[in-house]
Amino acid sequence: YYGDEYGQWGGADPNNRLLWRNGGSLSADEQATLAFVRKLGSARRDIPALRRGDYVSLAVTEDTLVFGRKMSGGGAAVVALNRLGSPASVSAEVTGALGLPSGTTLVDSMGGPSVVVSAGGTASFTIPARSVVILHP
C-alpha cells in the first residue's frame, strides 16, 4: 500500500486507505523514513546480487542478522540488520562464502563507512542502531 514508504499510520477499514501525503506535509520522522526507504530501493536497483543472488547465511544472533547474496557468475553483497537500540559490531567470513577476496573494499550503500576484507577473509563492521548496512564491491 502507498504510504508504507514513510510509515503512514493505518487502522481498520476504512482507515487503512488514507490519502497519500507528499513530502511537504510529512513529519520529520516520516521524511527520515522515506529517505531511508529510498536508499534501500536504490541499493536494490543498483546491486544485481540483491535482486538475483542466492541467499547465504553469514552470522545470526538474537539481535542481528548478516547474510550475503551471491550470483553464480560473480557478484555479491552483504546485508546486515540490527534491531538493537545501540550499534552492533559484527564480523562475517565473506571470502569462502561469497567469493570476495582479501583486500576487497566493500562500500555501504546506506552511507556508512567502507569495509576492507581482511587477510583472513572476514569483513568486520558496525551496524547502526535499528538500522541496516548493505555492503558491495
Side-chain angles (χ1 to χ4, degrees):
Y1 289 99
Y2 62 81
D4 287 348
E5 304 88 3
Y6 56 83
Q8 176 172 280
W9 178 86
D13 198 14
N15 290 328
N16 60 345
R17 294 179 186 89
L18 300 175
L19 295 177
W20 170 264
R21 296 183 355 248
N22 66 19
S25 65
L26 300 179
S27 70
D29 284 342
E30 290 170 330
Q31 289 175 3
T33 300
L34 180 58
F36 182 80
V37 170
R38 284 181 172 156
K39 284 183 184 180
L40 291 173
S42 294
R44 186 172 188 269
R45 178 195 64 214
D46 297 340
I47 305 168
L50 294 179
R51 297 187 312 273
R52 297 188 293 268
D54 293 331
Y55 179 91
V56 179
S57 180
L58 298 175
V60 179
T61 71
E62 186 173 319
D63 297 310
T64 61
L65 170 64
V66 182
F67 65 92
R69 298 294 301 258
K70 180 180 179 181
M71 295 176 52
S72 60
V78 175
V79 178
L81 303 127
N82 176 14
R83 73 177 189 165
L84 291 171
S86 59
S89 296
V90 297
S91 290
E93 193 284 321
V94 297
T95 297
L98 299 176
L100 296 169
S102 299
T104 301
T105 299
L106 303 174
V107 177
D108 183 8
S109 290
M110 300 306 289
S114 296
V115 175
V116 177
V117 178
S118 73
T122 62
S124 297
F125 52 94
T126 300
I127 313 166
R130 293 187 183 99
S131 197
V132 63
V133 170
I134 302 175
L135 301 170
H136 63 96

